[in-house]
Amino acid sequence: MADRKTGQTELLYVTSGDMYQPYSYSLGRLGAEFLNTIKEEKRFLGARCPGCNRVYVPPRSVCGRCHMKMEELVPVSDEGEIVACAIIEFGFVDPNTGIARPVPYGTAFIRLDGADTALPHFLDSVDREKVKVGARVKAVFEETRTGKIMDIKHFALIDQYRRPGGSNGFSVE
Amino acid sequence: MGKRAAIVGFGQTKGSSSRKDVNGIEMIHEAVSAALADAELGIEDIDAVVIGNMDHFEGINYVDMWSVEGSGGVMKPIIKVTTGGTTGTTVAMCAYYHVASGLFDRVLAIGWEKNSESDTTGAIITAYDPIWERPNMAGAIGGLAVDASRYMHDHGVTERDGARVTVRDRLNALNNPYAHLRQEWMRGKDVATLVDLLVSSEENQVLAYPLRMSDLCPRTDAAAALIFASEDVAETIAPVPAWVLAVANRHNTVYYGDLDWSLNETLEAASRQAFAKVGIREPLKEIDVCELYLPYSYAGLAWIESIGFCGPGEGRRLLWDGVTDMDGEIPMNPSGGVMSSNPIGATGVIRVGEAAIQIMGKAGLRQLNRDVKIAMATGFGGCYWADVLLLGKNKPL
Ligand SMILES: [Zn+2]
């Protein structure tokens, strides 16, 4: 609707439509071995840096801090500790799938025992008393696994135990 | 030999949730025209343009050319810069590099965003690593909520402490005609009452525990522009130029899971480098005002510790003692900050511009009631990279 005399007009916009542009990201050899080992053996691997000795989970072949190539894979536990967490209550569309994520859900960065870095994943709880920094968790795997990070169904809270001095295993210079 | 450089003009559009009356190019034109008017320059005086936004928010991938009519860059050198949340501060730093190199005398730095044109949460998730972190993370809000969980756990911080930061920034925004969120209902109420209202209100919904709506910044449409000038011309353009004293930036890791969650490592390192360049030993005493990129409430506690205004866990004491209020020792975010307007690609430009106008004495109702000699501006990008700029009234040696 336009009215030239008053300069009033209805403000409009155009939409792009439902765009669909899928990508295929390479995991690299260590990343692939990590997911293949979860798929076939329900076990976790990390990459150890020969320079600083950090164990990276998920593994990748370069340590940024040392700028050094990593080749050694070491086993890490399927249990670990929450280093940071949240309970998501707002609904939004997951850009990976185009599907609205069901809310609420618990999410956390989990440092598996034997690793120095943390893996983000979903939790089996939305209980504010239990989803806490320092809480212990254990991986629960999907029955049918396809070589994706979602082969881990979620991490289950196992108890309130916190390791002594359980902050990051390394310090930042 | 490099040249000294100063900010000699600043312009911005009023932030709003949706500017359907203009397209992006037209909105950029408004900000550029305001900056040129502020410096009393014409577009013909500009030697080069640096412009930035977050490409995927609007789905425009060649903003340097796409925006050329609005930016005023027709047949001029233009560079596009995109660094996520820090885009605006990096645009400013890049314009500074142009002038400091001695190759250009007057350079326009532009940041803009039309957040209304796409889904911000969906767009921000693409900042996370696509293989390992994107499937499980929840946009900016989820990332900030996990950050808050750790800081609250480490230092026994409560939601009242977070709300204290929100209240400061939103009260300051009432003095800023360009701020997006101007919450008139807050006017005239005392801080403790406002904090109580925020933490007890049922309308103040929890979005990602522990964060409520009031802990988060808005999504804003706006553009902002700065003019940088070399020492050869700066003082002939502006009576009081805001000199660039130091710029610094740090990146550490793309993986959130690799972070040492106990501090903001990049902001700490960039601040230290900038302070060392200027010879600042006690930032709390020596810096007169800050415009900090604080996208959510708890950053106003944790990150001022990383900058070095106080020790770990002491941020809330500074807030509750009023040290960071307009009449405190180190006023933070007189503009209302990111908590009151977040047009992402423009946000960093606004931080630098708001710091500059405090030095230039052009901040209107939000001008500090004292001489501003050193002002600090920061930029934040998720996950956790940082830009720091220090501006000064005195021409650097
Ligand atoms: Zn290393």
Side-chain angles (χ1 to χ4, degrees), chain A residues 48-56 62-70:
Chain A
R48 187 198 303 278
C49 173
C52 63
N53 237 19
R54 284 187 180 94
V55 173
Y56 288 92
V62 181
C63 172
R65 304 239 171 217
C66 302
H67 209 244
M68 205 175 259
K69 188 159 184 195
M70 297 191 278

Side-chain angles (χ1 to χ4, degrees), chain B residues 153-169:
Chain B
H153 172 269
D154 286 355
H155 298 291
V157 164
T158 69
E159 55 175 352
R160 289 182 51 98
D161 298 326
R164 179 66 182 82
V165 177
T166 301
V167 166
R168 177 198 66 208
D169 283 1

